[in-house]
Amino acid sequence: MKRYRFAQLSAVIILFAASSPKVMAQVAAGFPSMDSAAFPPDAKPIDPISIVAYQRPTEKQKLRLFEFDAFGPYAVAKALLGGAYQQYKNAPPEWGGGAKPFGERVGSNFGIELVTTTTRYGMAEILREDAAYYPCGCRGFFHRFRHAVVSTVTARHGEDGHTTFSISGLASPYAGTMTALAWYPDRYGVKDGFRMGNYNLAIVAVENLALEFVYGGPHSMFSHIASFKTPGGNAADQKP
């Protein structure tokens, strides 16, 4: 009963967001726009001519992005690598060692990632956030590194695509690990769910770095889309 109670807790959090989009949107509105961080003054766009105004992804593009994030190479790699590490550390010890426990750990990690991705895209749809990862249109390792890490908890919002704090980006990693309490040993509680959520959030940041520097998959199609504005201007008129 204990494990199902914790699983229900994560479901309540998600349902609250779904039933109160105005409240969640008001929370997001309280954070200042981070558009100025998208292109720092000393960071030059890779190809200024090719930068275009922001357009929200189509439903077909969203589905393609979701499939890539939920079932693509990074999702598989995270599940396998996480399972291998847990097997090495014998965590949780109740699962023991051997081929079957390794499969259980991989399946557990894949389940966490699936819930994380589904929650992120679902909440983003409700809150009018854009769950796609937008590669940095700038040069320089540190600028791109900062962009990837900051994108973990930020997202494009609204029709103009301004960048702001992302509720879905922050909440989804914890929803994934809280749900995992349903199949973890009974001794694992809410505190453990939050602790694992911290690691899950860090893993999302690492994945963003991979999307930025290694392989972006369908996210790469948004590499030349701008979302920055100047006072009295709009993204289409902005020149870097």
Side-chain angles (χ1 to χ4, degrees), residues 139-156:
R139 291 188 178 93
F141 173 81
F142 291 106
H143 292 306
R144 296 176 66 189
F145 183 93
R146 179 177 65 177
H147 170 81
V149 173
V150 171
S151 294
T152 305
V153 290
T154 60
R156 308 296 179 94

Side-chain angles (χ1 to χ4, degrees), residues 6-239:
F6 294 138
Q8 291 170 356
L9 175 62
S10 61
V12 168
I13 295 174
I14 299 172
L15 289 175
F16 173 76
S19 61
S20 307
K22 292 184 178 179
V23 174
M24 301 298 280
Q26 289 173 356
V27 174
F31 289 85
S33 174
M34 300 185 68
D35 294 340
S36 59
F39 289 94
D42 56 342
K44 297 181 179 180
I46 295 176
D47 187 1
I49 297 177
S50 65
I51 292 179
V52 298
Y54 173 82
Q55 292 182 340
R56 290 184 64 83
T58 64
E59 296 303 317
K60 184 177 181 180
Q61 289 174 330
K62 291 177 184 178
L63 179 59
R64 184 181 175 191
L65 291 168
F66 173 80
E67 290 175 345
F68 177 83
D69 290 343
F71 307 104
Y74 290 135
V76 174
K78 287 186 292 183
L80 289 173
L81 292 175
Y85 179 77
Q86 291 171 329
Q87 186 84 350
Y88 171 74
K89 299 293 290 186
N90 192 29
E94 290 87 344
W95 290 358
K100 183 179 179 180
F102 173 70
E104 292 175 346
R105 290 182 172 98
V106 172
S108 172
N109 291 328
F110 190 81
I112 291 173
E113 295 303 324
L114 182 59
V115 173
T116 299
T117 303
T118 302
T119 302
R120 178 162 59 92
Y121 276 84
M123 291 185 66
E125 190 70 18
I126 294 169
L127 301 175
R128 298 294 294 168
E129 294 180 353
D130 186 347
Y133 176 79
Y134 287 77
C136 183
C138 59
R139 291 188 178 93
F141 173 81
F142 291 106
H143 292 306
R144 296 176 66 189
F145 183 93
R146 179 177 65 177
H147 170 81
V149 173
V150 171
S151 294
T152 305
V153 290
T154 60
R156 308 296 179 94
H157 190 85
E159 295 299 329
D160 61 349
H162 62 279
T163 307
T164 187
F165 175 78
S166 173
I167 296 174
S168 61
L170 179 63
S172 56
Y174 295 92
T177 54
M178 285 295 180
T179 302
L181 297 177
W183 59 78
Y184 260 64
D186 289 340
R187 66 181 179 84
Y188 282 79
V190 174
K191 183 178 180 180
D192 298 294
F194 276 108
R195 174 178 55 82
M196 293 189 296
N198 294 335
Y199 292 121
N200 198 18
L201 183 63
I203 290 173
V204 174
V206 173
E207 182 177 1
N208 282 348
L209 289 170
L211 290 171
E212 178 68 34
F213 291 101
V214 182
Y215 174 61
H219 295 272
S220 298
M221 72 177 74
F222 305 112
S223 59
H224 300 306
I225 296 179
S227 69
F228 51 95
K229 300 186 299 180
T230 56
N234 54 55
D237 298 331
Q238 177 67 30
K239 297 182 184 300

